[in-house]
Every structure is written in structure tokens, then in C-alpha cells.
Amino acid sequence: MAEHAIALSSRVRLARNYGEIPFPAGMSAANAARVAEKVMGSLAGCSGLEPIHKVNMAELSAVARQELVERHMISTELANKDEGFLVEILNGQICLMVNEEDHLRIQAILPGLELGRAMDLANKVDDVLEEGGYAFDGRLGYLTACPTNTGTGMRASVMLHLPALTMLSQMGPIIRTVSRIGLTVRGQYGEGSEASGNLYQLSNQITLGRNESEILHLLGESAIQVIAKEAEARRELLNKNALSLEDRLMRSYGIFKNARRMDVKEFMQRISDIRLAADLGFLDLAQRELDTLLLAAQPAAIQRRLGPEASKEEIDFERAKLIRRSLA
Amino acid sequence: MAEHAIALSSRVRLARNYGEIPFPAGMSAANAARVAEKVMGSLAGCSGLEPIHKVNMAELSAVARQELVERHMISTELANKDEGFLVEILNGQICLMVNEEDHLRIQAILPGLELGRAMDLANKVDDVLEEGGYAFDGRLGYLTACPTNTGTGMRASVMLHLPALTMLSQMGPIIRTVSRIGLTVRGQYGEGSEASGNLYQLSNQITLGRNESEILHLLGESAIQVIAKEAEARRELLNKNALSLEDRLMRSYGIFKNARRMDVKEFMQRISDIRLAADLGFLDLAQRELDTLLLAAQPAAIQRRLGPEASKEEIDFERAKLIRRSLA
């Protein structure tokens, strides 16, 4: 039950805007092009961030954009903007969204609980792009399209897998506790999304009036506490009736591995059961394989492979096939 | 979907009594011994029925007797009689019960739909034992303790696996139809037992006024008709939604193979699902393995191996282990 089995990934996102260009809402094509030029110019001039890969939303089908959302590489907002693009840096450790709500959203994403390293990565890109001239106010800090991001412009989050706390109905109190210290708990796709598959995003609510390292420290410490609570809840479940838990999880594994069709809601619940079974040593399965499957079996990922004519039933059938192949 | 996949076994049972000895109810120890002497004397004198193996109820624990009931080798009635014994002949193809309700119950049991061959086997033993002097009436035929057996003294049955007819709720009409022609449908353990695991015993109700070959012909023809109806019901399920059926059965298989505890009721339902899945080609599993498991996982069989202190929970746990080992 190592920490990294509960903390799936860490993410730091910096919102930045160029000083001389209006915020993206209602942006002209000319201004969008100016932003693009600045970004790509700065990146081209620096070394140590390769490989750099630009992906224009305008060139992607709706389903290909949705797949990037599923992979947490872009936001739904960027997916809906034809002038927006993604710059994937260092094999996806940095996903830079351009012309989203702000000109720049520098996202650093790392597996496990790695907020400090993620911040370092984001800062590295931030330092390179800063030469474009950011909108910055001495008192307020970085200016952003939405005032909730003003200040540090930073939002950091940790993706946590919390099946035992969910089973024991302890998520309610935890959500209330963290909200009192300026943090928030959301579903895996951020604001307004459901915590399907017992995946929760713990993130900072406040960007103004505290500096980055204070926020990261608070978030990191809170994540460690929530992880400890999850570990405790797992021990409680094991002490109460280990056989009953093993039976429940292994039955779920049996269904997962043998079903001939599975919708995404059931998939998310079962992959959570199986991750827990692997964490508890009931099953010998590499976490990496589950992580790969988690992305590959999402609706848009399957739809893109099958083509736009594929029905929901065909997607559910393909998902079950994918699971079998992945666990074979 | 061969016939033998639906007809699991055929059984012919002849009820016989010796003329000079009172029926077993309230029998003296001396008379019980006289019956035993006659039986073993006749069998010892003949060749072609080896191996012959005598099992005295008085020497068996309650759980060992119950295991023989589970294996369909003896009746509950014999299990409750200390003076009763079983003579297993030809590796269980003949299970001769002595001092049950009648002095002799000659049972021949063969896999598949083999009523004719089972009758031949029973007759062979009957011919050997007849020298003991049967109670026989020229008009009534063989005399038996219970008048419902008088006449031929024969009861024949076929064990049928009818999951599709059960799923489609068609067993009710079938039971009513066969009862009109003097046949009856019961659960797998005969009179009053439930049809757990979708196993049904089709047998003759009447022993008087018809000769053996008429009864066997009627039963055999009816079995063939029920088997055809089951095959038709399977086709209907496949035509309606093959994927849905495959999904349902394979999920059941996944649970079967991965559960960490399973009670006998669930076991019977799931082994039926798995047998059907194998019959329909969804799964590559030998019927013989399922037949072996079906017996090995019954409560008394497990209890005898674990010892009398084993709790129901331990038995359910052991059953799940047995399933995994058997399907590995």
C-alpha cells in the first residue's frame, strides 16, 4: 500500500496571459495568431524541452479532441476552440494549452505524489515563455481572464484513488474538512464531474494572497493525510473481514475479465476494484497496465479507433475485448 | 449441442424382495442378515460383474453416508438405515441398495441417454439375484413394500440439464404435459427436491399395467422431445441476442472462477451457466471436468474432507478453492 498506489498523479497548472493582447474570449484570428507566434517562437529558441509537438484543435475531429480531454491533456474548453492548440512537451509531462480561457495554460503532469517536481517543470516552461511579456500587476500578481485564477495563476492537484474511504462513506467529512483550509475535492475530470471509479482530484481553491510554495505545501500535506486515511480505511476493511473483501473484489475481477460488453460507468467501478485488489496483494497486476487500460477504454479513445459510425453497443463490446486483451 | 450434453445420465432401478423374508420396515437383525447372505452369496457365485464393493451403512459416518446420497449412489432412506448396505458393482455402473424400503433396489446408472443399456445392466444383476427367490405374483408382478412400485418394480429416469427452458419459463407447461402421459419431472435428488442448477429428473410415475419396454420406450421418446425443446430454446436465446447471452454466461464464469467463497445454491446455478456456456461453444471446457466438480463441491463431500468441525463458512471457502483448482 505504497503512497504512489493511492496518489495516481500530480499536476501543476499555471495561467498566464501576454500583456499586449486581449484575453482569448472573443479573440480575433489575428490576435490568436500573434499568441501562437510568440509561444512557438519562445519554445523554438530554447533547448532541454524536446520533444515538442504542436496539435491544432482545428485539425482534429470532435472525437480526437475528446480523447485528449479523456487523457487529461486538454480541457473541454480548449477542445471547443478552433483557434486553440496544445503543445505537448517532454512526452506529455508538459501539456501547454494555448488560447484556452487564458493565452497560456502551462500544465505539468507527473505520476505519483510529485507536486514539487511538477512545479519545477512548469516553472521551467514558464521561464521560457515569460520573454513574451506577461500581464502582471505588482499587487495582484498574474492577471487572468477569470478573477479566481488571478494572483499566482497556479492551480495544483493530486489525483487520488480512494475506494476504501468511499466504501466506508467517509468522503463527505473529508470533503468538508479540506474545504475549510481552501482546498477542494472533485471528480477526476475536474469541476462538476462525478468521482467515477473512486478517483478524486484534490486541488487548491485559492490562487490569491498566498505564494506558490505555501499552496503546494498545504496541498501536499493534505494529500499525505488523505492517503493515510485511505490506508487506514483499507486496514479497517481488512480487519473487519478480509475474506469478504477479497471475495467481493475478486468476483469483480472475474466479471471484468470475462464480460462480453461493458459500459464506461461499470468499467470505472470495476477497474477501481481491481486496482484495490492489486494494491492489497490479492492480484498480481502491474499498476502501469491498469493506467494504460484506464485511458484506452474511455469512450472517445474507442470511438476514434472504431470510427464515427460505431454504436454505443459496439463500443461497449470493444471495451470488453480490450480488457481481455490487456489482462491476458 | 449434442443430446448427451443435455441428458447427463440415465438410470434404471428395479425394486425386488425375497419371498420368504418380511419387507424391511421393522425388520429383525436376523432377517436383515439373511437378506445380506442371499445377496452376497448370489453375487459371489457369478462372474462378469467385478469389481464388487460392499459398503455397510453402519460403518459410515453421517457425512460419509450423505456424500453417497449426493453422488446419487444411495437414497436418503438407505443412509438412515444401519442394517442397510450398498453393493457397488462395475465401478458404480450398478449401485445395489440392500435393506432399503425393499430388500433390493438394483440401480444401473450410465452417462448420457442410455436407458436401454441401463436396463440391460440392471437385468443382468436381476438375473443373478433372482435365484434367491423373489416375491412375485402372477397377476400383480413383483411385490414391493410400497404399492406404487408393484408390477414391474421398475423406475427409470433421465437427468436433464434444462437451463434455456428454465430461463424462458417453459418448464411449467412441460411438467404438465409429461404428467398426462404418466411421467413426472422432479429436482435432481428425486421426490420433493428442488431443481437446483436447472437439473431435472424425468421419470416414469407408473410401474403397474405396462411392461418394462413400453415404459422405457415412452420415457426415452419423451426425453428426446424435451431435449429437442431445450435445444430449440437455446437457439431462440441465441437468435434473440447471442451477445447478451454470452455476456451473461461469461460473467457468471468469471465470478465462478474468481470468487473466494461460494454457497452450494450459487454453485449449482453457476455450474449450470458454465455448462451451458461450454455447450454453446463460448467456453472450451470438458463436460467430464464439470461432472467431477459437480460432485466434489457438494456440501457433504467437502465436509468429509475438512472434518466434522468445519463451519459452513469454511466449506464455502473450500468450495471456491476447489473450483479454482479444477478450472486452472
PDB file of all heavy atoms in Angstrom, chain A residues 90-125:
ATOM      1  N   LEU A  90       8.133  17.287 -23.737  1.00  0.00           N
ATOM      2  CA  LEU A  90       8.745  16.226 -22.912  1.00  0.00           C
ATOM      3  C   LEU A  90       7.808  15.020 -22.783  1.00  0.00           C
ATOM      4  O   LEU A  90       7.529  14.556 -21.674  1.00  0.00           O
ATOM      5  CB  LEU A  90       9.114  16.764 -21.519  1.00  0.00           C
ATOM      6  CG  LEU A  90      10.219  17.819 -21.455  1.00  0.00           C
ATOM      7  CD1 LEU A  90      10.299  18.411 -20.049  1.00  0.00           C
ATOM      8  CD2 LEU A  90      11.555  17.219 -21.872  1.00  0.00           C
ATOM      9  N   ASN A  91       7.292  14.561 -23.919  1.00  0.00           N
ATOM     10  CA  ASN A  91       6.425  13.372 -23.952  1.00  0.00           C
ATOM     11  C   ASN A  91       5.211  13.478 -23.033  1.00  0.00           C
ATOM     12  O   ASN A  91       4.824  12.521 -22.378  1.00  0.00           O
ATOM     13  CB  ASN A  91       7.224  12.118 -23.591  1.00  0.00           C
ATOM     14  CG  ASN A  91       8.301  11.836 -24.616  1.00  0.00           C
ATOM     15  OD1 ASN A  91       8.023  11.828 -25.812  1.00  0.00           O
ATOM     16  ND2 ASN A  91       9.530  11.644 -24.155  1.00  0.00           N
ATOM     17  N   GLY A  92       4.624  14.664 -22.998  1.00  0.00           N
ATOM     18  CA  GLY A  92       3.379  14.822 -22.248  1.00  0.00           C
ATOM     19  C   GLY A  92       3.568  15.171 -20.788  1.00  0.00           C
ATOM     20  O   GLY A  92       2.587  15.342 -20.066  1.00  0.00           O
ATOM     21  N   GLN A  93       4.807  15.282 -20.327  1.00  0.00           N
ATOM     22  CA  GLN A  93       4.980  15.761 -18.949  1.00  0.00           C
ATOM     23  C   GLN A  93       4.510  17.208 -18.841  1.00  0.00           C
ATOM     24  O   GLN A  93       4.058  17.638 -17.788  1.00  0.00           O
ATOM     25  CB  GLN A  93       6.447  15.644 -18.519  1.00  0.00           C
ATOM     26  CG  GLN A  93       6.883  14.200 -18.324  1.00  0.00           C
ATOM     27  CD  GLN A  93       8.289  14.117 -17.719  1.00  0.00           C
ATOM     28  OE1 GLN A  93       8.494  14.354 -16.544  1.00  0.00           O
ATOM     29  NE2 GLN A  93       9.254  13.799 -18.551  1.00  0.00           N
ATOM     30  N   ILE A  94       4.666  17.935 -19.951  1.00  0.00           N
ATOM     31  CA  ILE A  94       4.089  19.284 -20.037  1.00  0.00           C
ATOM     32  C   ILE A  94       3.038  19.294 -21.143  1.00  0.00           C
ATOM     33  O   ILE A  94       3.311  18.883 -22.272  1.00  0.00           O
ATOM     34  CB  ILE A  94       5.166  20.341 -20.384  1.00  0.00           C
ATOM     35  CG1 ILE A  94       6.240  20.432 -19.307  1.00  0.00           C
ATOM     36  CG2 ILE A  94       4.519  21.703 -20.647  1.00  0.00           C
ATOM     37  CD1 ILE A  94       5.884  21.254 -18.098  1.00  0.00           C
ATOM     38  N   CYS A  95       1.821  19.720 -20.792  1.00  0.00           N
ATOM     39  CA  CYS A  95       0.785  19.936 -21.795  1.00  0.00           C
ATOM     40  C   CYS A  95       0.429  21.412 -21.739  1.00  0.00           C
ATOM     41  O   CYS A  95      -0.260  21.854 -20.816  1.00  0.00           O
ATOM     42  CB  CYS A  95      -0.439  19.074 -21.503  1.00  0.00           C
ATOM     43  SG  CYS A  95      -0.158  17.337 -21.849  1.00  0.00           S
ATOM     44  N   LEU A  96       0.908  22.127 -22.717  1.00  0.00           N
ATOM     45  CA  LEU A  96       0.686  23.572 -22.753  1.00  0.00           C
ATOM     46  C   LEU A  96      -0.532  23.864 -23.624  1.00  0.00           C
ATOM     47  O   LEU A  96      -0.530  23.556 -24.814  1.00  0.00           O
ATOM     48  CB  LEU A  96       1.947  24.247 -23.327  1.00  0.00           C
ATOM     49  CG  LEU A  96       1.862  25.717 -23.700  1.00  0.00           C
ATOM     50  CD1 LEU A  96       1.591  26.580 -22.467  1.00  0.00           C
ATOM     51  CD2 LEU A  96       3.159  26.160 -24.388  1.00  0.00           C
ATOM     52  N   MET A  97      -1.573  24.412 -23.001  1.00  0.00           N
ATOM     53  CA  MET A  97      -2.752  24.791 -23.785  1.00  0.00           C
ATOM     54  C   MET A  97      -2.635  26.261 -24.160  1.00  0.00           C
ATOM     55  O   MET A  97      -2.373  27.110 -23.297  1.00  0.00           O
ATOM     56  CB  MET A  97      -4.024  24.578 -22.963  1.00  0.00           C
ATOM     57  CG  MET A  97      -4.303  23.109 -22.657  1.00  0.00           C
ATOM     58  SD  MET A  97      -5.981  22.877 -22.014  1.00  0.00           S
ATOM     59  CE  MET A  97      -5.802  23.481 -20.345  1.00  0.00           C
ATOM     60  N   VAL A  98      -2.847  26.541 -25.441  1.00  0.00           N
ATOM     61  CA  VAL A  98      -2.727  27.917 -25.915  1.00  0.00           C
ATOM     62  C   VAL A  98      -4.079  28.385 -26.451  1.00  0.00           C
ATOM     63  O   VAL A  98      -4.773  27.641 -27.134  1.00  0.00           O
ATOM     64  CB  VAL A  98      -1.634  28.028 -27.009  1.00  0.00           C
ATOM     65  CG1 VAL A  98      -1.464  29.489 -27.453  1.00  0.00           C
ATOM     66  CG2 VAL A  98      -0.313  27.470 -26.497  1.00  0.00           C
ATOM     67  N   ASN A  99      -4.425  29.636 -26.106  1.00  0.00           N
ATOM     68  CA  ASN A  99      -5.715  30.235 -26.482  1.00  0.00           C
ATOM     69  C   ASN A  99      -6.906  29.458 -25.906  1.00  0.00           C
ATOM     70  O   ASN A  99      -7.922  29.280 -26.570  1.00  0.00           O
ATOM     71  CB  ASN A  99      -5.839  30.372 -28.012  1.00  0.00           C
ATOM     72  CG  ASN A  99      -4.874  31.415 -28.561  1.00  0.00           C
ATOM     73  OD1 ASN A  99      -4.523  32.367 -27.849  1.00  0.00           O
ATOM     74  ND2 ASN A  99      -4.418  31.224 -29.796  1.00  0.00           N
ATOM     75  N   GLU A 100      -6.753  29.022 -24.695  1.00  0.00           N
ATOM     76  CA  GLU A 100      -7.891  28.478 -23.948  1.00  0.00           C
ATOM     77  C   GLU A 100      -8.569  29.664 -23.269  1.00  0.00           C
ATOM     78  O   GLU A 100      -8.659  30.740 -23.883  1.00  0.00           O
ATOM     79  CB  GLU A 100      -7.360  27.421 -22.934  1.00  0.00           C
ATOM     80  CG  GLU A 100      -8.416  26.404 -22.483  1.00  0.00           C
ATOM     81  CD  GLU A 100      -8.666  26.475 -20.995  1.00  0.00           C
ATOM     82  OE1 GLU A 100      -8.446  27.549 -20.423  1.00  0.00           O
ATOM     83  OE2 GLU A 100      -9.098  25.449 -20.432  1.00  0.00           O
ATOM     84  N   GLU A 101      -8.985  29.586 -22.027  1.00  0.00           N
ATOM     85  CA  GLU A 101      -9.582  30.727 -21.332  1.00  0.00           C
ATOM     86  C   GLU A 101      -8.537  31.834 -21.175  1.00  0.00           C
ATOM     87  O   GLU A 101      -8.844  33.019 -21.276  1.00  0.00           O
ATOM     88  CB  GLU A 101     -10.087  30.265 -19.963  1.00  0.00           C
ATOM     89  CG  GLU A 101     -10.896  31.297 -19.214  1.00  0.00           C
ATOM     90  CD  GLU A 101     -11.325  30.770 -17.847  1.00  0.00           C
ATOM     91  OE1 GLU A 101     -12.189  29.880 -17.788  1.00  0.00           O
ATOM     92  OE2 GLU A 101     -10.766  31.251 -16.829  1.00  0.00           O
ATOM     93  N   ASP A 102      -7.300  31.408 -20.917  1.00  0.00           N
ATOM     94  CA  ASP A 102      -6.164  32.343 -20.909  1.00  0.00           C
ATOM     95  C   ASP A 102      -5.291  32.040 -22.129  1.00  0.00           C
ATOM     96  O   ASP A 102      -5.437  30.997 -22.759  1.00  0.00           O
ATOM     97  CB  ASP A 102      -5.360  32.172 -19.618  1.00  0.00           C
ATOM     98  CG  ASP A 102      -6.182  32.555 -18.393  1.00  0.00           C
ATOM     99  OD1 ASP A 102      -6.563  33.738 -18.283  1.00  0.00           O
ATOM    100  OD2 ASP A 102      -6.471  31.652 -17.575  1.00  0.00           O
ATOM    101  N   HIS A 103      -4.383  32.975 -22.442  1.00  0.00           N
ATOM    102  CA  HIS A 103      -3.480  32.722 -23.572  1.00  0.00           C
ATOM    103  C   HIS A 103      -2.708  31.424 -23.354  1.00  0.00           C
ATOM    104  O   HIS A 103      -2.577  30.608 -24.256  1.00  0.00           O
ATOM    105  CB  HIS A 103      -2.475  33.881 -23.730  1.00  0.00           C
ATOM    106  CG  HIS A 103      -3.117  35.168 -24.141  1.00  0.00           C
ATOM    107  ND1 HIS A 103      -2.617  36.410 -23.812  1.00  0.00           N
ATOM    108  CD2 HIS A 103      -4.254  35.412 -24.858  1.00  0.00           C
ATOM    109  CE1 HIS A 103      -3.403  37.356 -24.302  1.00  0.00           C
ATOM    110  NE2 HIS A 103      -4.408  36.772 -24.943  1.00  0.00           N
ATOM    111  N   LEU A 104      -2.223  31.268 -22.118  1.00  0.00           N
ATOM    112  CA  LEU A 104      -1.364  30.115 -21.824  1.00  0.00           C
ATOM    113  C   LEU A 104      -1.853  29.393 -20.573  1.00  0.00           C
ATOM    114  O   LEU A 104      -2.148  30.026 -19.553  1.00  0.00           O
ATOM    115  CB  LEU A 104       0.078  30.578 -21.560  1.00  0.00           C
ATOM    116  CG  LEU A 104       0.731  31.461 -22.620  1.00  0.00           C
ATOM    117  CD1 LEU A 104       2.087  31.942 -22.121  1.00  0.00           C
ATOM    118  CD2 LEU A 104       0.882  30.661 -23.919  1.00  0.00           C
ATOM    119  N   ARG A 105      -1.937  28.092 -20.697  1.00  0.00           N
ATOM    120  CA  ARG A 105      -2.151  27.266 -19.516  1.00  0.00           C
ATOM    121  C   ARG A 105      -1.025  26.226 -19.536  1.00  0.00           C
ATOM    122  O   ARG A 105      -1.055  25.296 -20.350  1.00  0.00           O
ATOM    123  CB  ARG A 105      -3.519  26.560 -19.587  1.00  0.00           C
ATOM    124  CG  ARG A 105      -4.714  27.492 -19.408  1.00  0.00           C
ATOM    125  CD  ARG A 105      -5.040  27.609 -17.930  1.00  0.00           C
ATOM    126  NE  ARG A 105      -6.049  28.592 -17.635  1.00  0.00           N
ATOM    127  CZ  ARG A 105      -7.297  28.300 -17.218  1.00  0.00           C
ATOM    128  NH1 ARG A 105      -7.693  27.037 -17.143  1.00  0.00           N
ATOM    129  NH2 ARG A 105      -8.141  29.261 -16.897  1.00  0.00           N
ATOM    130  N   ILE A 106      -0.018  26.470 -18.690  1.00  0.00           N
ATOM    131  CA  ILE A 106       1.135  25.571 -18.648  1.00  0.00           C
ATOM    132  C   ILE A 106       0.820  24.470 -17.634  1.00  0.00           C
ATOM    133  O   ILE A 106       0.679  24.744 -16.440  1.00  0.00           O
ATOM    134  CB  ILE A 106       2.402  26.330 -18.189  1.00  0.00           C
ATOM    135  CG1 ILE A 106       2.633  27.556 -19.089  1.00  0.00           C
ATOM    136  CG2 ILE A 106       3.614  25.397 -18.172  1.00  0.00           C
ATOM    137  CD1 ILE A 106       3.644  28.545 -18.505  1.00  0.00           C
ATOM    138  N   GLN A 107       0.642  23.246 -18.138  1.00  0.00           N
ATOM    139  CA  GLN A 107       0.327  22.141 -17.221  1.00  0.00           C
ATOM    140  C   GLN A 107       1.494  21.164 -17.154  1.00  0.00           C
ATOM    141  O   GLN A 107       1.958  20.691 -18.179  1.00  0.00           O
ATOM    142  CB  GLN A 107      -0.869  21.339 -17.726  1.00  0.00           C
ATOM    143  CG  GLN A 107      -2.123  22.111 -18.034  1.00  0.00           C
ATOM    144  CD  GLN A 107      -3.196  21.158 -18.524  1.00  0.00           C
ATOM    145  OE1 GLN A 107      -3.964  20.641 -17.730  1.00  0.00           O
ATOM    146  NE2 GLN A 107      -3.227  20.904 -19.821  1.00  0.00           N
ATOM    147  N   ALA A 108       1.919  20.845 -15.942  1.00  0.00           N
ATOM    148  CA  ALA A 108       2.926  19.788 -15.754  1.00  0.00           C
ATOM    149  C   ALA A 108       2.246  18.632 -15.045  1.00  0.00           C
ATOM    150  O   ALA A 108       1.539  18.829 -14.058  1.00  0.00           O
ATOM    151  CB  ALA A 108       4.086  20.303 -14.921  1.00  0.00           C
ATOM    152  N   ILE A 109       2.414  17.432 -15.584  1.00  0.00           N
ATOM    153  CA  ILE A 109       1.721  16.262 -15.039  1.00  0.00           C
ATOM    154  C   ILE A 109       2.737  15.155 -14.804  1.00  0.00           C
ATOM    155  O   ILE A 109       3.450  14.746 -15.726  1.00  0.00           O
ATOM    156  CB  ILE A 109       0.659  15.744 -16.035  1.00  0.00           C
ATOM    157  CG1 ILE A 109      -0.255  16.886 -16.477  1.00  0.00           C
ATOM    158  CG2 ILE A 109      -0.162  14.601 -15.409  1.00  0.00           C
ATOM    159  CD1 ILE A 109      -0.725  16.761 -17.913  1.00  0.00           C
ATOM    160  N   LEU A 110       2.785  14.633 -13.571  1.00  0.00           N
ATOM    161  CA  LEU A 110       3.714  13.542 -13.256  1.00  0.00           C
ATOM    162  C   LEU A 110       2.977  12.445 -12.496  1.00  0.00           C
ATOM    163  O   LEU A 110       2.045  12.726 -11.748  1.00  0.00           O
ATOM    164  CB  LEU A 110       4.870  14.075 -12.396  1.00  0.00           C
ATOM    165  CG  LEU A 110       5.861  14.997 -13.102  1.00  0.00           C
ATOM    166  CD1 LEU A 110       6.851  15.572 -12.099  1.00  0.00           C
ATOM    167  CD2 LEU A 110       6.598  14.247 -14.221  1.00  0.00           C
ATOM    168  N   PRO A 111       3.396  11.203 -12.688  1.00  0.00           N
ATOM    169  CA  PRO A 111       2.775  10.126 -11.912  1.00  0.00           C
ATOM    170  C   PRO A 111       3.155  10.222 -10.429  1.00  0.00           C
ATOM    171  O   PRO A 111       4.237  10.716 -10.099  1.00  0.00           O
ATOM    172  CB  PRO A 111       3.341   8.845 -12.538  1.00  0.00           C
ATOM    173  CG  PRO A 111       4.490   9.266 -13.375  1.00  0.00           C
ATOM    174  CD  PRO A 111       4.405  10.724 -13.628  1.00  0.00           C
ATOM    175  N   GLY A 112       2.262   9.739  -9.554  1.00  0.00           N
ATOM    176  CA  GLY A 112       2.546   9.711  -8.119  1.00  0.00           C
ATOM    177  C   GLY A 112       2.345  11.065  -7.460  1.00  0.00           C
ATOM    178  O   GLY A 112       1.797  12.004  -8.064  1.00  0.00           O
ATOM    179  N   LEU A 113       2.799  11.180  -6.219  1.00  0.00           N
ATOM    180  CA  LEU A 113       2.699  12.442  -5.475  1.00  0.00           C
ATOM    181  C   LEU A 113       3.996  13.201  -5.688  1.00  0.00           C
ATOM    182  O   LEU A 113       4.986  12.978  -4.989  1.00  0.00           O
ATOM    183  CB  LEU A 113       2.460  12.138  -3.984  1.00  0.00           C
ATOM    184  CG  LEU A 113       2.258  13.349  -3.056  1.00  0.00           C
ATOM    185  CD1 LEU A 113       1.095  14.215  -3.522  1.00  0.00           C
ATOM    186  CD2 LEU A 113       2.036  12.903  -1.623  1.00  0.00           C
ATOM    187  N   GLU A 114       3.999  14.104  -6.671  1.00  0.00           N
ATOM    188  CA  GLU A 114       5.232  14.774  -7.102  1.00  0.00           C
ATOM    189  C   GLU A 114       4.973  16.241  -7.385  1.00  0.00           C
ATOM    190  O   GLU A 114       5.328  16.759  -8.450  1.00  0.00           O
ATOM    191  CB  GLU A 114       5.782  14.100  -8.373  1.00  0.00           C
ATOM    192  CG  GLU A 114       6.276  12.688  -8.188  1.00  0.00           C
ATOM    193  CD  GLU A 114       7.662  12.632  -7.545  1.00  0.00           C
ATOM    194  OE1 GLU A 114       8.198  13.709  -7.160  1.00  0.00           O
ATOM    195  OE2 GLU A 114       8.203  11.520  -7.405  1.00  0.00           O
ATOM    196  N   LEU A 115       4.344  16.923  -6.425  1.00  0.00           N
ATOM    197  CA  LEU A 115       3.972  18.319  -6.658  1.00  0.00           C
ATOM    198  C   LEU A 115       5.197  19.208  -6.853  1.00  0.00           C
ATOM    199  O   LEU A 115       5.200  20.081  -7.726  1.00  0.00           O
ATOM    200  CB  LEU A 115       3.122  18.833  -5.489  1.00  0.00           C
ATOM    201  CG  LEU A 115       1.704  18.252  -5.428  1.00  0.00           C
ATOM    202  CD1 LEU A 115       1.046  18.589  -4.092  1.00  0.00           C
ATOM    203  CD2 LEU A 115       0.864  18.783  -6.589  1.00  0.00           C
ATOM    204  N   GLY A 116       6.239  18.976  -6.068  1.00  0.00           N
ATOM    205  CA  GLY A 116       7.443  19.806  -6.166  1.00  0.00           C
ATOM    206  C   GLY A 116       8.090  19.685  -7.536  1.00  0.00           C
ATOM    207  O   GLY A 116       8.381  20.696  -8.191  1.00  0.00           O
ATOM    208  N   ARG A 117       8.239  18.445  -7.998  1.00  0.00           N
ATOM    209  CA  ARG A 117       8.861  18.243  -9.319  1.00  0.00           C
ATOM    210  C   ARG A 117       7.972  18.782 -10.441  1.00  0.00           C
ATOM    211  O   ARG A 117       8.468  19.311 -11.440  1.00  0.00           O
ATOM    212  CB  ARG A 117       9.150  16.756  -9.551  1.00  0.00           C
ATOM    213  CG  ARG A 117      10.485  16.295  -8.932  1.00  0.00           C
ATOM    214  CD  ARG A 117      10.808  14.866  -9.366  1.00  0.00           C
ATOM    215  NE  ARG A 117      10.806  14.722 -10.807  1.00  0.00           N
ATOM    216  CZ  ARG A 117      10.284  13.686 -11.471  1.00  0.00           C
ATOM    217  NH1 ARG A 117       9.718  12.686 -10.803  1.00  0.00           N
ATOM    218  NH2 ARG A 117      10.330  13.639 -12.786  1.00  0.00           N
ATOM    219  N   ALA A 118       6.663  18.647 -10.262  1.00  0.00           N
ATOM    220  CA  ALA A 118       5.743  19.172 -11.277  1.00  0.00           C
ATOM    221  C   ALA A 118       5.856  20.695 -11.336  1.00  0.00           C
ATOM    222  O   ALA A 118       5.875  21.300 -12.417  1.00  0.00           O
ATOM    223  CB  ALA A 118       4.303  18.747 -10.959  1.00  0.00           C
ATOM    224  N   MET A 119       5.963  21.319 -10.169  1.00  0.00           N
ATOM    225  CA  MET A 119       6.116  22.781 -10.121  1.00  0.00           C
ATOM    226  C   MET A 119       7.403  23.192 -10.827  1.00  0.00           C
ATOM    227  O   MET A 119       7.412  24.153 -11.605  1.00  0.00           O
ATOM    228  CB  MET A 119       6.146  23.228  -8.653  1.00  0.00           C
ATOM    229  CG  MET A 119       6.161  24.740  -8.454  1.00  0.00           C
ATOM    230  SD  MET A 119       4.566  25.484  -8.875  1.00  0.00           S
ATOM    231  CE  MET A 119       5.109  27.067  -9.534  1.00  0.00           C
ATOM    232  N   ASP A 120       8.486  22.465 -10.574  1.00  0.00           N
ATOM    233  CA  ASP A 120       9.768  22.785 -11.215  1.00  0.00           C
ATOM    234  C   ASP A 120       9.658  22.732 -12.735  1.00  0.00           C
ATOM    235  O   ASP A 120      10.152  23.603 -13.444  1.00  0.00           O
ATOM    236  CB  ASP A 120      10.851  21.794 -10.752  1.00  0.00           C
ATOM    237  CG  ASP A 120      11.202  22.002  -9.279  1.00  0.00           C
ATOM    238  OD1 ASP A 120      10.819  23.056  -8.717  1.00  0.00           O
ATOM    239  OD2 ASP A 120      11.839  21.102  -8.688  1.00  0.00           O
ATOM    240  N   LEU A 121       8.993  21.688 -13.209  1.00  0.00           N
ATOM    241  CA  LEU A 121       8.809  21.531 -14.652  1.00  0.00           C
ATOM    242  C   LEU A 121       8.007  22.691 -15.228  1.00  0.00           C
ATOM    243  O   LEU A 121       8.373  23.268 -16.266  1.00  0.00           O
ATOM    244  CB  LEU A 121       8.057  20.232 -14.937  1.00  0.00           C
ATOM    245  CG  LEU A 121       8.856  18.999 -15.321  1.00  0.00           C
ATOM    246  CD1 LEU A 121       7.911  17.820 -15.499  1.00  0.00           C
ATOM    247  CD2 LEU A 121       9.640  19.251 -16.618  1.00  0.00           C
ATOM    248  N   ALA A 122       6.898  23.041 -14.559  1.00  0.00           N
ATOM    249  CA  ALA A 122       6.043  24.131 -15.043  1.00  0.00           C
ATOM    250  C   ALA A 122       6.831  25.438 -15.041  1.00  0.00           C
ATOM    251  O   ALA A 122       6.746  26.237 -15.987  1.00  0.00           O
ATOM    252  CB  ALA A 122       4.787  24.240 -14.174  1.00  0.00           C
ATOM    253  N   ASN A 123       7.624  25.639 -13.999  1.00  0.00           N
ATOM    254  CA  ASN A 123       8.426  26.865 -13.909  1.00  0.00           C
ATOM    255  C   ASN A 123       9.428  26.979 -15.052  1.00  0.00           C
ATOM    256  O   ASN A 123       9.680  28.064 -15.575  1.00  0.00           O
ATOM    257  CB  ASN A 123       9.195  26.894 -12.576  1.00  0.00           C
ATOM    258  CG  ASN A 123       8.318  27.418 -11.444  1.00  0.00           C
ATOM    259  OD1 ASN A 123       7.335  28.126 -11.695  1.00  0.00           O
ATOM    260  ND2 ASN A 123       8.668  27.063 -10.216  1.00  0.00           N
ATOM    261  N   LYS A 124       9.987  25.841 -15.425  1.00  0.00           N
ATOM    262  CA  LYS A 124      10.980  25.817 -16.499  1.00  0.00           C
ATOM    263  C   LYS A 124      10.356  26.360 -17.798  1.00  0.00           C
ATOM    264  O   LYS A 124      10.965  27.179 -18.492  1.00  0.00           O
ATOM    265  CB  LYS A 124      11.409  24.359 -16.706  1.00  0.00           C
ATOM    266  CG  LYS A 124      12.836  24.160 -17.121  1.00  0.00           C
ATOM    267  CD  LYS A 124      13.241  22.729 -16.811  1.00  0.00           C
ATOM    268  CE  LYS A 124      14.182  22.133 -17.806  1.00  0.00           C
ATOM    269  NZ  LYS A 124      14.514  20.728 -17.446  1.00  0.00           N
ATOM    270  N   VAL A 125       9.155  25.891 -18.096  1.00  0.00           N
ATOM    271  CA  VAL A 125       8.466  26.355 -19.306  1.00  0.00           C
ATOM    272  C   VAL A 125       8.025  27.805 -19.120  1.00  0.00           C
ATOM    273  O   VAL A 125       8.112  28.629 -20.041  1.00  0.00           O
ATOM    274  CB  VAL A 125       7.269  25.437 -19.619  1.00  0.00           C
ATOM    275  CG1 VAL A 125       6.502  25.946 -20.834  1.00  0.00           C
ATOM    276  CG2 VAL A 125       7.758  24.012 -19.863  1.00  0.00           C
TER     277      VAL A 125
END
